[in-house]
Amino acid sequence: MAKASKIMLTIALIALILGALCILVGIITGGDFERVKNVFYAVYDIENRVNGLNAFFTFIS
């Protein structure tokens, strides 16, 4: 089980690094950070997830 968790952690870390590099390249090549953020929010529906988490934690407390 420890070996599987190390593999999953390694894959997650590589994905995080690749994502950060993609964002960095987008900004270096003249992309607007606000546009990058808007695309990210649109693709992953972050606003609804944040609102759902806020409602959940408000309900708990």
Side-chain angles (χ1 to χ4, degrees):
M1 204 59 174
K3 188 173 183 178
S5 63
K6 282 184 182 181
I7 292 171
M8 290 178 5
L9 182 62
T10 303
I11 291 171
L13 186 60
I14 290 171
L16 181 68
I17 291 170
L18 286 175
L21 286 175
C22 288
I23 291 173
L24 181 65
V25 167
I27 292 172
I28 288 173
T29 57
D32 182 26
F33 184 72
E34 193 68 29
R35 181 175 172 202
V36 172
K37 185 184 89 171
N38 288 339
V39 169
F40 179 74
Y41 271 59
V43 170
Y44 294 107
D45 200 21
I46 299 297
E47 191 170 346
N48 283 337
R49 292 179 190 213
V50 168
N51 289 339
L53 286 173
N54 284 338
F56 175 73
F57 286 118
T58 302
F59 179 73
I60 288 176
S61 60

